Amino acid sequence: MSNSIIQHTSLTAYAPASIGNVSLGFDLLGAALKPIDGSLLGDEVKIESAEQFELTVEGRFADKLPADPASNIVTQCYHHYLQCLVNKGVDVDALPKVAMTLYKHLPIGSGLGSSASSIVAAFHGLNQFFTDVLGTTPFNKSDLLLMMGELEGQISGSVHYDNVAPCFLGGLTLMSEYKDQVALPLPSFNNWYWVSCYSGITVSTAAARAILPKEVPMAITIQFGRQLAVFVDALYRQDENLAAAMMTDVIAEPYRKSLLPHFDESREFAKQQGALAFGISGSGPSVFAVCDSLEKATIINQWLADNYIQNDTGFSHICQLDQQGAVVY
Ligand code: HSE
């Protein structure tokens, strides 16, 4: 790899919010979100050449992050990325240092893949920055995904890719965790709208994992496997009704919904209005409803905004899948 250094300005990486689990695929399925009104629903990380490393945090949820930049996940991503360059034989002392700015647009502990969004934006941005500097791409998508999963694991207490993979790659993704095929893209339904509502309260992923049983009974295991397999088959055959019928959570929701005020009545309303599916987004408290028309999505979005949101931190969006995933501009 050439270490010839070129002049550099700056770039910004954006990484979208995501729904982990998508109800039926605990730790194995994820979906990237894009509000249909064009608003950003994801974190941004700006990277510029600098004399020495520094991290600045801005944005609506900046004050919810640790005050010490050394404890910020983006700083940890930077150090991890540099170490991976060292492991590859790159002389990192000859590289420019970077100033990074995290624009923290997503609430933490929201179930929207907030930490994944910061991590993905940081790694994707760093890889593009050092591609420009070195004149060659240091790491491929699979290398990056492994790094992202590792850092996500440091935050949530266990390595799971169901937020970082869709956030990075876009669309609906299935984790295979087989060699360098960490995540597989799945087909989806272009006419589906995904209403995503954040209630405004905080649920830590580690806490939401701690309340789950350590073992799952045989009958539940078989139902889980059947639903996930049939769902994937239905996606490939574009059988909307069958796919939607498989979208129930037999692993986490029965335990986690006790942490979510108004969950049952929200689902009841969504179902009455014709939602194809309703569930917890990641480890909550956000919820999502899948609709096959904008009309239904609009009614459910308004009802959730009026009834599921608990305080002025909450918000609700009508989304489609973000097929692009992380981008640099
Ligand atoms: N699969 C993870 C969980 C997602 O449900 O704990 C967390 O966003």
Side-chain angles (χ1 to χ4, degrees):
M1 181 177 296
S2 153
N3 275 11
S4 62
I5 292 169
I6 60 167
Q7 273 307 313
H8 214 279
T9 50
S10 76
L11 58 79
T12 300
Y14 168 77
S18 53
I19 299 174
N21 304 332
V22 198
S23 290
L24 80 156
F26 186 79
D27 278 1
L28 298 176
L29 193 64
L33 294 175
K34 181 177 190 153
I36 60 168
D37 64 6
S39 55
L40 283 191
L41 188 62
D43 292 345
E44 293 172 293
V45 172
K46 184 176 178 186
I47 304 179
E48 300 163 283
S49 308
E51 291 296 310
Q52 58 181 30
F53 174 77
E54 60 177 305
L55 175 69
T56 309
V57 184
E58 293 180 16
R60 182 172 173 200
F61 296 101
D63 62 346
K64 299 286 188 290
L65 294 172
D68 176 13
S71 309
N72 191 293
I73 191 70
V74 169
T75 303
Q76 290 160 23
C77 290
Y78 174 69
H79 292 306
H80 189 87
Y81 187 87
L82 279 196
Q83 186 56 51
C84 291
L85 284 177
V86 170
N87 297 345
K88 231 176 144 70
V90 175
D91 176 8
V92 294
D93 293 333
L95 298 177
K97 304 287 180 284
V98 297
M100 301 178 78
T101 308
L102 167 63
Y103 298 94
K104 191 67 202 162
H105 302 308
L106 291 180
I108 59 170
S110 58
L112 293 170
S114 172
S115 56
S117 176
S118 295
I119 290 166
V120 170
F123 277 119
H124 187 50
L126 286 165
N127 205 47
Q128 186 57 54
F129 183 90
F130 286 108
T131 295
D132 295 349
V133 168
L134 295 165
T136 178
T137 303
F139 300 105
N140 63 27
K141 284 189 169 180
S142 165
D143 296 332
L144 288 176
L145 206 42
L146 290 169
M147 294 179 206
M148 291 163 181
E150 198 173 325
L151 271 283
E152 171 80 317
Q154 285 179 19
I155 285 202
S156 65
S158 74
V159 176
H160 50 88
Y161 292 90
D162 54 328
N163 287 115
V164 290
C167 177
F168 183 37
L169 304 173
L172 195 57
T173 58
L174 175 68
M175 309 319 131
S176 80
E177 297 176 38
Y178 177 71
K179 297 188 179 170
D180 64 349
Q181 290 177 291
V182 178
L184 306 171
L186 290 176
S188 51
F189 300 100
N190 293 335
N191 59 319
W192 280 14
Y193 291 89
W194 301 69
V195 179
S196 167
C197 180
Y198 168 51
S199 64
I201 63 173
T202 299
V203 171
S204 99
T205 297
R209 293 180 83 83
I211 63 167
L212 301 180
K214 301 290 165 270
E215 287 176 8
V216 177
M218 179 69 90
I220 301 288
T221 308
I222 291 166
Q223 187 177 349
F224 177 82
R226 174 176 59 77
Q227 290 188 166
L228 188 52
V230 172
F231 180 73
V232 171
D233 171 78
L235 292 179
Y236 277 99
R237 290 186 303 97
Q238 290 288 286
D239 185 338
E240 204 175 347
N241 290 335
L242 183 61
M246 295 299 115
M247 295 180 74
T248 63
D249 179 354
V250 293
I251 301 286
E253 187 184 293
Y255 304 93
R256 287 179 170 172
K257 69 178 187 172
S258 63
L259 303 173
L260 310 179
H262 309 300
F263 178 83
D264 282 331
E265 65 228 59
S266 299
R267 175 167 42 210
E268 205 179 311
F269 180 82
K271 288 293 190 169
Q272 270 169 13
Q273 296 301 316
L276 296 171
F278 183 89
I280 303 173
S281 181
S283 53
S286 292
V287 290
F288 71 96
V290 178
C291 302
D292 58 5
S293 79
L294 183 54
E295 215 178 345
K296 292 174 195 165
T298 303
I299 292 167
I300 293 168
N301 184 55
Q302 188 58 53
W303 192 92
L304 290 173
D306 294 341
N307 295 278
Y308 190 66
I309 291 177
Q310 309 278 301
N311 55 48
D312 58 12
T313 313
F315 51 77
S316 193
H317 289 284
I318 302 174
C319 302
Q320 287 195 301
L321 295 185
D322 183 328
Q323 297 292 356
Q324 235 180 343
V327 290
V328 165
Y329 40 84

